[in-house]
Amino acid sequence: MNAADEAKKEAISANEQNKILTEKLKDVERENKVTRNYLEKFLNILGYNFSGFNMDEEFKESNEDYDNEGDKDEEEIRGNDRKHE
């Protein structure tokens, strides 16, 4: 029964952390949107067309690089877990 109680506490803690991280993510998304709008206005004042910068494509490429680094981290974690078994 003790293991079940511990698992329940961990699940509750994980859910609370998930809620906190979800709120932080929403804040970051809002900040990103505001920053992007200001950048667009600034570039328009300078006579540039924001859509011509193709930031979405660069962001996609950046995410792919980041995702690949994350895969390496997960492999390292799994390797460390195996060492401790």
Side-chain angles (χ1 to χ4, degrees):
M1 194 71 143
N2 192 20
D5 290 339
E6 188 65 30
K8 186 176 180 178
K9 287 178 185 177
E10 288 180 19
I12 291 170
S13 176
N15 284 335
E16 290 172 358
Q17 290 176 351
N18 186 33
K19 288 178 186 177
I20 291 168
L21 291 173
T22 299
E23 284 303 313
K24 286 183 179 182
L25 178 61
K26 288 178 183 178
D27 290 343
V28 168
E29 288 173 341
R30 279 186 224 110
E31 289 174 7
N32 182 41
K33 186 175 181 178
V34 169
T35 302
R36 194 172 175 131
N37 286 336
Y38 278 117
L39 179 59
E40 183 174 6
K41 289 177 185 179
F42 179 73
L43 290 172
N44 285 338
I45 289 170
L46 295 176
Y48 294 100
N49 183 353
F50 185 73
S51 63
F53 286 94
N54 200 11
M55 291 179 63
D56 292 329
E57 186 63 32
E58 290 180 26
F59 180 73
K60 180 181 174 187
E61 291 173 8
S62 175
N63 270 350
E64 288 171 358
D65 292 341
Y66 181 78
D67 288 344
N68 292 335
E69 289 176 12
D71 292 342
K72 292 176 189 173
D73 292 341
E74 288 178 22
E75 290 171 13
E76 183 178 340
I77 291 168
R78 281 193 293 270
N80 288 338
D81 287 345
R82 281 187 229 113
K83 290 178 188 176
H84 295 289
E85 288 178 345

